[in-house]
Amino acid sequence: MLQILQHLDSGHTELVDVPSPGPTPGSVLIQTSHSLVSLGTEKMLVEFGKAGWIQKIRQQPERVKDVLAKISTDGLIPTIQAIRSKLSQPIPLGYCQVGRVIDQGGSTQFAVGDRVVSNGSHAEVVSAKSYLCAKIPDNVLSADASFTPLAAIALNGIRMMDVKPGSRVVVSGLGLIGQLAVQILRAQGAEVLGIDLNPDKCARAEKSGAHCLRAEKDFNPVPAILSWTGGRGVDGVLITASSPSHEIISQAAQSCCHRGKIVLIGVIGLNLKRADFYRNEVSLQVSNSYGVRQANHPFSAQNNFQSVLELMSQGKLVVSDLISIQKPINEAPEIYSHLKNPHLFGISLTYNPRAESLLRKIELKQTVEGNGLNVGILGVGNFTQRTLLPELMGIENPPNLEVLVSAQGASTLFSAKKFNAASVATDPDAVFKNRNIKAVFISTRHHLHATQTVTALENGQAVWVEKPLALTEMEIDLIEKTAKTSSAILMVGFNRRFAPLALHARKVIASQSGPKTITININAGSLPTDHWTLNPAEGGGRIVGEACHFIDLLRFLISAPITQVNLIERFTDGQDGGRYKLEFADGSTGYINYLTNLPKTVPKEVILVSGSNWNFKINNWQQCRGQGIWGINKGWGLFNKINKGHSHALALFVHAVELHQSSPIPLNEIIEVSRWAVRMQAMTRS
């Protein structure tokens, strides 16, 4: 299918052919008929991509501290590499899409054939969460309905103001969202005063019933606004402008009546002056795009979508004359050269249904013939793109990439071209039903790991599964049973046990008699509360999904079975943080401190090891320092490259598959560590 992608490193906008997404529970699969270019957001992304490094930094000053923190813990070169890697990955453009449902993903709200609007991208087929879709009334044209997400952004901001008939509201910025806001406010009985630099935009807002002020350089609209309200001030100001100026927010506050409300939708300078807000107790709120992204919420995006469509159906929101250009999708990305035209409002893209747009696999070249191992990759997210694939294809005698599979074809295509894969797909069967593939790398979301691991092993395909192996002990039981009867080997991506400093530490520990004490401090940081990793059904939690690395590392370093685990402290911030004590069969003790509230300048991982009259510390996989043992010191500080063992682990796995050897990690240790990870996760949330 055709899709528009934006390269943030170069500013290049590209129309590419990628595999179509497939059916997913909870998501609606839609074949597109129309989409709308968001002039504000998409213009910003295009201009960001074309900007130089200094300009990029100026546009995102809030990220500078994060970069400096990463340099202090990881070093300069790894930080630069991480930034370049992130910017090199193209992103899909667009979030205003209309089409017909071809699979409802189990939703009872929609049926196949329904005409719907979603927040999908500019692509011939999109997969959108059902709660981010809405059915279009029969009397609303599809091209008009594509304005719905933008109008919902305006509506969401307006709802924060508690607008009543007769309310007086300023709309600062009369671009596309501003124009829609004017109409919605007028439909609610409000008096509207619009402000913009562009006379054409002012004229268009006046047609919708607004009074307008044309802003000029050093223009102060406050006297005119106060005059318009008889000196009282306005009930609210909706800021939809995009400008670095700090004066916009100051003037908005000065324009408000007692306890007036300012709602920010656009991006402006926010150097606030207390006096501007103090006198009239003015409040400021920032609107969250088109609404809450979850089902059954009174302020949900879906409710806003439905309200906008109802206004269109009633003739209270008219958008047809806001379409300045209408072009077929195959003429993109030429249309993006028009974004700087100050007279434009809406750019509408049209699509003709094609059978080819539903293909879920695309061949890029002939399958490589030779002695190399043929492998498939399931899941092409950030970890796969930035770590797994570069490390795998960087080993001596790397395997042949038969197919890369991911739910979203855009990122998959980028990686496939970069690493010379034969094909890309969005259907896992492209891996499981390919008899040429002898090994499968599973890097999908955690709830899929167990099923995909069992399927591959039953096919006789060797499995490298990124942690965790599974989310429940029942799944672990099934995997253990399958692995013991399969002709193929199983390995979990517990790479840290293969790190040079871990191998060095194990030799040191093995040379010393008596029990040992090992403490691992992890600066895990915090995640957004709605991050999928924290979702029990999808991610399983951070202990089973991430801290399992350190359970395995302790098991490897101590070389004895785990006999007991106790929860020392459970954090209550909803981030799965905690402290654990692990006891081992040889009398050794391990501590895992999974910390989620530390500054970013604190090293990510520190391992402290001690025994009778000796100790050493591994600092962030860059250096090892200790005393009491000859030859313990290794590495020379922060400029030493961080090596967590990915390359060595992958090389050993590939070598084992090629030579039909046993797994580099014994099956009993994989199962043991995975069981304790599941139990420790349960302790954290019990």
Side-chain angles (χ1 to χ4, degrees):
M1 69 172 189
L2 297 176
Q3 183 168 20
I4 301 176
L5 301 179
Q6 180 62 40
H7 294 262
L8 295 181
D9 55 350
S10 66
H12 176 55
T13 309
E14 184 179 18
L15 182 67
V16 296
D17 192 13
V18 301
S20 168
T24 305
S27 294
V28 180
L29 201 63
I30 309 165
Q31 190 161 29
T32 308
S33 64
H34 295 78
S35 65
L36 184 75
V37 175
S38 169
L39 294 183
T41 302
E42 295 182 51
K43 178 183 176 183
M44 179 182 68
L45 289 171
V46 171
E47 291 181 346
F48 177 82
K50 291 180 178 179
W53 278 94
I54 301 299
Q55 291 173 301
K56 283 183 168 71
I57 292 171
R58 285 176 176 171
Q59 290 182 43
Q60 293 191 315
E62 70 279 1
R63 298 296 180 95
V64 174
K65 287 185 179 180
D66 292 341
V67 171
L68 294 176
K70 187 172 180 64
I71 291 172
S72 70
T73 57
D74 294 2
L76 178 62
I77 302 303
T79 301
I80 292 174
Q81 290 173 338
I83 294 172
R84 285 180 172 172
S85 175
K86 185 171 184 177
L87 289 176
S88 69
Q89 298 165 22
I91 61 172
L93 287 179
Y95 56 91
C96 302
Q97 181 263 359
V98 165
R100 291 196 179 273
V101 175
I102 54 179
D103 187 281
Q104 68 269 54
S107 171
T108 57
Q109 289 181 282
F110 307 103
V112 172
D114 281 350
R115 200 164 51 105
V116 297
V117 61
S118 83
N119 71 329
S121 58
H122 300 306
E124 290 186 286
V125 179
V126 304
S127 177
K129 294 294 184 183
S130 60
Y131 53 80
L132 291 172
C133 300
K135 193 181 297 186
I136 301 170
D138 291 341
N139 66 334
V140 175
L141 298 176
S142 293
D144 292 354
S146 66
F147 284 80
T148 299
L150 285 179
I153 292 173
L155 177 61
N156 195 56
I158 290 168
R159 281 181 164 168
M160 292 181 176
M161 290 185 177
D162 191 26
V163 173
K164 298 178 176 62
S167 294
R168 295 211 161 194
V169 179
V170 168
V171 177
S172 180
L174 295 173
L176 206 45
I177 293 177
Q179 298 291 339
L180 297 167
V182 167
Q183 290 197 53
I184 294 170
L185 285 165
R186 294 292 295 144
Q188 294 184 1
E191 295 293 322
V192 183
L193 189 149
I195 304 173
D196 201 278
L197 292 165
N198 190 319
D200 291 343
K201 293 178 179 179
C202 289
R204 177 61 185 80
E206 287 172 345
K207 288 183 179 179
S208 298
H211 303 275
C212 284
L213 296 175
R214 182 187 172 188
E216 296 178 353
K217 186 177 180 181
D218 300 324
F219 173 71
N220 182 2
V222 176
I225 294 172
L226 294 176
S227 176
W228 181 58
T229 60
R232 174 179 175 271
V234 292
D235 299 287
V237 179
L238 188 71
I239 301 176
T240 62
S242 178
S243 169
S245 172
H246 300 284
E247 289 302 311
I248 294 175
I249 191 70
S250 178
Q251 292 164 354
Q254 294 171 37
S255 302
C256 284
C257 67
H258 184 250
R259 297 202 172 180
K261 296 181 180 179
I262 301 172
V263 176
L264 178 61
I265 291 176
V267 181
I268 62 170
L270 286 176
N271 185 7
L272 303 181
K273 299 175 183 177
R274 181 176 181 273
D276 293 337
F277 293 83
Y278 174 80
R279 185 185 61 185
N280 282 328
E281 298 182 319
V282 175
S283 63
L284 169 64
Q285 284 186 277
V286 179
S287 177
N288 181 11
S289 188
Y290 28 70
V292 177
R293 290 163 175 76
Q294 65 184 58
N296 303 318
H297 192 286
F299 302 107
S300 70
Q302 187 177 66
N303 283 345
N304 286 336
F305 283 6
Q306 291 169 341
S307 297
V308 165
L309 289 167
E310 184 62 25
L311 288 173
M312 290 182 180
S313 179
Q314 295 171 355
K316 296 179 180 179
L317 179 59
V318 179
V319 298
S320 56
D321 60 344
L322 290 174
I323 298 176
S324 303
I325 297 175
Q326 188 168 73
K327 295 284 186 180
I329 182 66
N330 60 334
E331 293 191 20
E334 179 194 350
I335 57 169
Y336 284 84
S337 63
H338 298 294
L339 296 188
K340 289 187 177 181
N341 186 337
H343 304 293
L344 283 184
F345 286 109
I347 299 178
S348 177
L349 301 177
T350 60
Y351 302 71
N352 290 319
R354 302 184 305 137
E356 296 89 338
S357 68
L358 300 177
L359 294 176
R360 298 190 62 192
K361 183 179 180 182
I362 294 177
E363 300 291 340
L364 301 179
K365 63 182 180 61
Q366 294 297 317
T367 302
V368 176
E369 299 291 341
N371 297 324
L373 177 70
N374 292 329
V375 305
I377 309 286
L378 293 177
V380 191
N382 287 336
F383 175 79
T384 301
Q385 294 178 53
R386 299 176 192 176
T387 302
L388 179 59
L389 280 171
E391 296 285 1
L392 177 63
M393 301 312 291
I395 68 175
E396 187 177 356
N397 298 319
N400 303 319
L401 295 178
E402 273 279 319
V403 59
L404 303 187
V405 178
S406 187
Q408 302 299 324
S411 60
T412 314
L413 180 67
F414 170 76
S415 295
K417 290 181 177 179
K418 182 176 180 179
F419 295 102
N420 199 34
S423 60
V424 293
T426 57
D427 185 355
D429 280 348
V431 168
F432 296 134
K433 293 184 177 180
N434 188 328
R435 296 295 91 192
N436 292 326
I437 292 176
K438 304 303 179 186
V440 180
F441 290 83
I442 299 173
S443 185
T444 50
R445 294 203 168 178
H446 300 166
H447 67 298
L448 301 173
H449 287 190
T451 300
Q452 292 176 340
T453 295
V454 168
T455 301
L457 290 174
E458 288 178 342
N459 289 342
Q461 295 168 313
V463 174
W464 168 294
V465 56
E466 280 303 329
K467 49 77 188 169
L469 175 65
L471 298 183
T472 68
E473 290 205 58
M474 186 178 296
E475 290 177 337
I476 294 171
D477 290 340
L478 179 59
I479 292 171
E480 182 179 23
K481 179 181 178 181
T482 306
K484 286 180 176 179
T485 58
S486 175
S487 60
I489 64 172
L490 168 65
M491 183 165 170
V492 177
F494 292 142
N495 52 279
R496 283 164 178 78
R497 64 161 58 202
F498 299 98
L501 291 180
L503 297 171
H504 173 64
R506 176 162 161 146
K507 286 183 181 179
V508 171
I509 293 171
S511 69
Q512 304 300 309
S513 60
K516 292 85 181 174
T517 301
I518 304 178
T519 300
I520 304 178
N521 295 324
I522 305 105
N523 180 9
S526 62
L527 296 174
T529 54
D530 60 350
H531 194 280
W532 67 270
T533 303
L534 293 169
N535 184 330
E538 191 172 18
R542 301 180 74 181
I543 302 303
V544 69
E546 173 65 25
C548 58
H549 265 310
F550 308 103
I551 304 171
D552 180 74
L553 181 60
L554 287 174
R555 178 65 177 83
F556 172 73
L557 293 176
I558 292 174
S559 304
I562 303 167
T563 58
Q564 186 174 337
V565 176
N566 294 308
L567 176 66
I568 299 174
E569 181 184 5
R570 180 192 297 114
F571 298 165
T572 58
D573 59 358
Q575 291 289 326
D576 284 354
R579 303 176 188 271
Y580 306 84
K581 178 183 178 182
L582 291 78
E583 299 178 14
F584 293 81
D586 69 344
S588 295
T589 304
Y591 295 91
I592 294 176
N593 298 323
Y594 194 80
L595 310 174
T596 59
N597 56 0
L598 297 178
K600 293 182 179 181
T601 51
V602 175
K604 292 288 186 183
E605 299 171 24
V606 176
I607 299 106
L608 305 169
V609 186
S610 62
S612 180
N613 297 317
W614 60 270
N615 64 79
F616 64 86
K617 178 173 79 171
I618 296 174
N619 184 34
N620 212 32
W621 300 108
Q622 292 171 308
Q623 61 177 338
C624 180
R625 291 288 183 270
Q627 55 189 5
I629 305 175
W630 176 258
I632 185 62
N633 293 337
K634 271 188 173 293
W636 295 100
L638 292 178
F639 290 100
N640 203 42
K641 182 182 178 182
I642 293 175
N643 189 332
K644 296 182 182 180
H646 292 101
S647 179
H648 186 41
L650 289 163
L652 289 175
F653 173 74
V654 169
H655 186 72
V657 176
E658 289 177 328
L659 299 183
H660 304 285
Q661 296 177 344
S662 58
S663 173
I665 304 178
L667 179 62
N668 68 299
E669 292 186 27
I670 290 174
I671 299 301
E672 177 190 351
V673 168
S674 298
R675 287 192 191 283
W676 282 113
V678 170
R679 293 168 186 172
M680 287 168 63
Q681 181 67 60
M683 293 177 192
T684 303
R685 294 191 174 181
S686 62

